[in-house]
Amino acid sequence: MASRDSHPQDLESADNDFHPTTTHHLSYSNQFPQYFRPLIDSARDTWQYRAPRGSQHASGSPADDIKSPGWPQMALSVAFVPRFRHMLIYGALFIFAWIGWRMLLSPQLQDQNSLLHSSPHAEGLVRIRTLDPDLVPGDMARVDPGETSRKRLILVGDVHGCKDELLQLLEKVSFNQKGGDHLIFVGDMINKGPDSKGVVDLAREHSASSVRGNHEDRILLLRQEMVKAKTLATPDEGKYASLSSRQLAERALARSLSEEQAQWLENCPMILNVGQIPGMGQVVVVHAGLVPDIELEKQDPSSVMTMRTIDSNTHVPSPKKKGMNWAKMFDKHQSKLYLSRETSTQDPLANSMTVVYGHDASTSLSIRTFTKGLDSGCVTGGKLTALVIEDGGKQSLVQVSCHGYFKR
């Protein structure tokens, strides 16, 4: 056996002398011949070349067993890249913002825009008028002993042309203009009922006050259009065969009003500031409602005549029934103000505001501390309601039954 110190030629001769049948021990170099080759000789670059499909690999090296990653693995790899995750987050936020705009903000802005532009003639309207202080009930302390109340306000809900019922109501409350009574309408005196012109004449006869309702607004606008088209004196319903019976009736009413009747209605303000009444604070009459915590001068004219609800988040009024009832929100707001002044002011009610309104027959009679809803559906067969306010702020309700002249 060759020793470890043998020369290369000796090793080579020893290798040449090796036979399988030889029983002597293998030398160290013969046991590990591969360790004497440079490692670079074992490296292969067959991974750079793909064997044709169907052909057998020429080499069985591990590099030939490496498979390219599939689409799922590649997608996962991309998804875990930070920049890609940021793009996904921004994309999701954009989608949510777009959905919020289309579903929430855009409809609300459209409602607000329609309210602000639904009455293009708002600049020519009488927005606010203050009632003559001599007509306002005062403090009972000023009434001489033994005398009854000297002043009363008779505030009447939506009449809608029901003159007969109005006469019955005035008789029931013992209306006496010369005795100190003053008649106030909350709007919608006309339209739908049988005798709108008669109601206007009765109001004028009694020197009544009224606010402009959405039905007065509609009929007066229609009349103005007829005047511009020079069709007020000449019926032209034949040109409007597609109009409904209700629309035709409104055109007929607009045409039937005299110049004096139309002018009296045009002079009705949208807001009537009644003034201070004991136990009620500042009393204001509107047809539909007011937005809480907004000055009277800054109230939207169209909303004052049409609102039913207010969005609790944006405080945008709407004529729709979906949302928070404006009167409920207004009453809650005034109640909070009253409580905040209760301990710091001698008469906290003096700084409060009470609103008397109509318009919303669906809620019928609705009496709260700071809001008084008087539309009790007279023209559809409900009742005609009057709120009577006397000296000292005493309040009472009087009603009469009505015929069903109009079907919704």
Side-chain angles (χ1 to χ4, degrees):
M1 181 176 67
S3 66
R4 294 185 179 183
D5 297 328
S6 299
H7 295 287
Q9 58 268 25
D10 297 334
L11 292 173
E12 184 177 357
S13 61
D15 289 339
N16 292 334
D17 295 336
F18 173 76
H19 297 284
T21 56
T22 305
T23 57
H24 62 275
H25 294 285
L26 293 177
S27 66
Y28 182 85
S29 61
N30 286 334
Q31 289 180 5
F32 306 101
Q34 68 274 20
Y35 284 91
F36 291 90
R37 297 181 182 179
L39 292 177
I40 191 63
D41 293 344
S42 301
R44 297 290 185 269
D45 60 353
T46 54
W47 60 275
Q48 297 182 359
Y49 308 98
R50 292 182 178 272
R53 188 175 295 180
S55 64
Q56 294 181 350
H57 295 288
S59 174
S61 63
D64 296 330
D65 297 332
I66 299 176
K67 297 181 180 180
S68 59
W71 286 106
Q73 290 83 354
M74 293 179 65
L76 288 175
S77 299
V78 174
F80 281 103
V81 175
R83 182 176 297 178
F84 183 77
R85 291 201 304 270
H86 294 163
M87 291 176 62
L88 284 178
I89 294 173
Y90 294 148
L93 290 175
F94 175 79
I95 292 174
F96 287 136
W98 183 83
I99 293 175
W101 166 260
R102 293 299 301 269
M103 303 273 305
L104 298 174
L105 293 179
S106 181
Q108 291 174 358
L109 291 177
Q110 288 176 2
D111 285 346
Q112 186 179 27
N113 185 64
S114 64
L115 288 171
L116 293 175
H117 296 86
S118 60
S119 186
H121 62 300
E123 293 183 359
L125 299 180
V126 181
R127 297 204 175 197
I128 304 176
R129 179 173 293 147
T130 300
L131 190 64
D132 185 350
D134 291 337
L135 300 174
V136 180
D139 196 333
M140 282 296 297
R142 299 179 182 178
V143 179
D144 295 333
E147 291 186 2
T148 58
S149 177
R150 297 179 301 165
K151 298 177 183 177
R152 294 193 307 171
L153 294 179
I154 315 297
L155 296 101
V156 180
D158 300 34
V159 180
H160 280 298
C162 301
K163 181 182 178 181
D164 291 342
E165 286 80 359
L166 177 58
L167 288 171
Q168 295 173 23
L169 183 63
L170 294 180
E171 183 179 356
K172 192 170 183 178
V173 299
S174 302
F175 179 76
N176 184 0
Q177 182 181 351
K178 295 181 179 180
D181 292 346
H182 182 66
L183 184 61
I184 300 177
F185 295 93
V186 298
D188 280 6
M189 299 168 56
I190 63 174
N191 206 9
K192 296 184 178 181
D195 194 1
S196 294
K197 294 177 60 178
V199 172
V200 175
D201 288 339
L202 186 61
R204 295 173 61 205
E205 178 185 343
H206 291 301
S207 302
S209 300
S210 179
V211 294
R212 189 184 187 108
N214 59 305
H215 281 272
E216 283 88 9
D217 192 58
R218 183 186 305 169
I219 298 302
L220 291 172
L221 277 176
L222 188 56
R223 180 183 171 83
Q224 291 175 7
E225 293 175 2
M226 291 180 176
V227 171
K228 291 180 181 179
K230 298 181 180 180
T231 60
L232 184 62
T234 305
D236 58 346
E237 275 71 13
K239 300 180 181 180
Y240 302 95
S242 61
L243 295 181
S244 65
S245 58
R246 177 179 176 180
Q247 291 172 318
L248 292 173
E250 289 179 347
R251 293 184 67 84
L253 173 59
R255 184 174 286 109
S256 68
L257 291 174
S258 67
E259 187 65 29
E260 293 77 13
Q261 291 169 336
Q263 190 59 47
W264 188 87
L265 292 172
E266 287 281 9
N267 289 332
C268 293
M270 290 174 289
I271 301 174
L272 179 63
N273 183 9
V274 175
Q276 289 284 331
I277 295 181
M280 300 181 72
Q282 181 184 6
V283 176
V284 176
V285 180
V286 296
H287 177 60
L290 294 175
V291 178
D293 206 25
I294 299 294
E295 297 176 5
L296 295 180
E297 294 78 9
K298 296 181 180 180
Q299 295 283 338
D300 175 62
S302 181
S303 299
V304 168
M305 294 186 288
T306 60
M307 75 168 69
R308 284 189 174 88
T309 58
I310 295 179
D311 187 282
S312 57
N313 296 320
T314 63
H315 279 207
V316 175
S318 171
K320 300 177 181 179
K321 297 179 181 179
K322 184 179 180 180
M324 177 175 284
N325 181 274
W326 79 267
K328 182 178 181 180
M329 180 182 289
F330 190 94
D331 193 80
K332 184 177 181 180
H333 174 73
Q334 289 295 318
S335 297
K336 288 183 177 179
L337 291 179
Y338 174 82
L339 292 175
S340 66
R341 299 167 181 153
E342 192 173 16
T343 56
S344 59
T345 307
Q346 184 176 1
D347 185 9
L349 278 176
N351 297 316
S352 301
M353 179 181 290
T354 300
V355 180
V356 183
Y357 67 100
H359 185 59
D360 196 357
S362 61
T363 58
S364 190
L365 188 66
S366 181
I367 305 298
R368 295 184 171 91
T369 304
F370 298 102
T371 57
K372 318 288 182 181
L374 302 182
D375 188 357
S376 44
C378 175
V379 74
T380 56
K383 295 180 181 296
L384 184 60
T385 302
L387 172 64
V388 181
I389 304 176
E390 305 179 23
D391 283 324
K394 180 182 178 182
Q395 305 171 44
S396 59
L397 293 171
V398 181
Q399 292 182 313
V400 295
S401 300
C402 304
H403 298 287
Y405 300 106
F406 183 83
K407 293 183 180 180
R408 297 180 182 177

